[in-house]
Amino acid sequence: MSDQEKTSLWQGFKAFLMRGNVVDLAVAVVIGAAFTNIVNSVVEGIINPLVGAFGTQNLDSYTSCLKGPCEGTGDAATGVRILWGSVLGATLQFVITAAVVYFLMVLPMAKYLARVEARRKAKEGAHEVVEVTELEVLKEIRDALLAERAQGGGKSLRTDGGGEQPGAGGR
């Protein structure tokens, strides 16, 4: 492999790594891993004990025997068991995790972003009101000048840009 090919490969790899979406993805993975620890801590430290107060924290022991006799545990178990407790536990873990993420992270962030957007729109609305007010003032000034000229018997001020030219009258 020539030096030029090595350089072009290196430059291509460097360009790939420096593209915005690759860097953003790497940051998202790192933040997601840290966020997972927070969510798991909330679920395991707060939610599971609350659920355990009403029942059991470990649903894996709940099974049904499809074909008997169902005796023993682990590798020594006989019969065909349906482990519906583990499925129920995983489903509850998912629902609880989704609820924690939604109510503790997504909902507050959505409310915050809505407030920021409302403030931005209010600022834009105030800016538009100022512009409209300036336009109204200019129209009033124009109307006052037109009225003054009309009372003074002077030349009229046309608003279409075709007013009389000085010294152009009486041909």
Side-chain angles (χ1 to χ4, degrees):
M1 197 179 254
S2 70
D3 288 340
Q4 187 178 15
E5 289 175 350
K6 288 180 183 178
T7 304
S8 66
L9 282 174
W10 176 250
Q11 288 174 347
F13 182 67
K14 186 177 173 183
F16 169 73
L17 289 179
M18 292 299 135
R19 286 195 316 201
N21 55 355
V22 173
V23 174
D24 291 343
L25 181 60
V27 170
V29 168
V30 171
I31 295 295
F35 186 71
T36 299
N37 289 335
I38 293 170
V39 171
N40 287 340
S41 295
V42 170
V43 169
E44 291 172 8
I46 296 172
I47 304 298
N48 283 351
L50 291 174
V51 171
F54 299 106
T56 181
Q57 289 185 10
N58 185 8
L59 297 175
D60 292 340
S61 61
Y62 293 112
T63 63
S64 294
C65 188
L66 186 62
K67 183 176 180 185
C70 291
E71 296 173 354
T73 59
D75 291 336
T78 60
V80 177
R81 294 177 191 237
I82 296 177
L83 307 174
W84 60 270
S86 62
V87 174
L88 180 62
T91 304
L92 284 175
Q93 182 77 15
F94 171 78
V95 170
I96 291 168
T97 302
V100 168
V101 168
Y102 180 75
F103 289 112
L104 295 182
M105 307 296 175
V106 173
L107 190 61
M109 183 59 75
K111 287 184 179 183
Y112 169 74
L113 292 175
R115 274 189 262 128
V116 168
E117 183 67 18
R119 277 191 231 132
R120 185 187 65 78
K121 285 185 178 181
K123 283 182 182 179
E124 284 180 2
H127 184 65
E128 289 174 7
V129 169
V130 169
E131 288 177 4
V132 170
T133 303
E134 289 174 0
L135 183 61
E136 291 297 322
V137 169
L138 290 173
K139 285 180 181 179
E140 289 176 9
I141 292 170
R142 180 201 64 202
D143 293 343
L145 287 172
L146 286 173
E148 184 179 308
R149 284 197 177 242
Q151 289 176 356
K155 298 176 186 173
S156 66
L157 180 64
R158 293 175 54 184
T159 59
D160 62 358
E164 291 184 9
Q165 305 240 344
R171 287 189 201 192

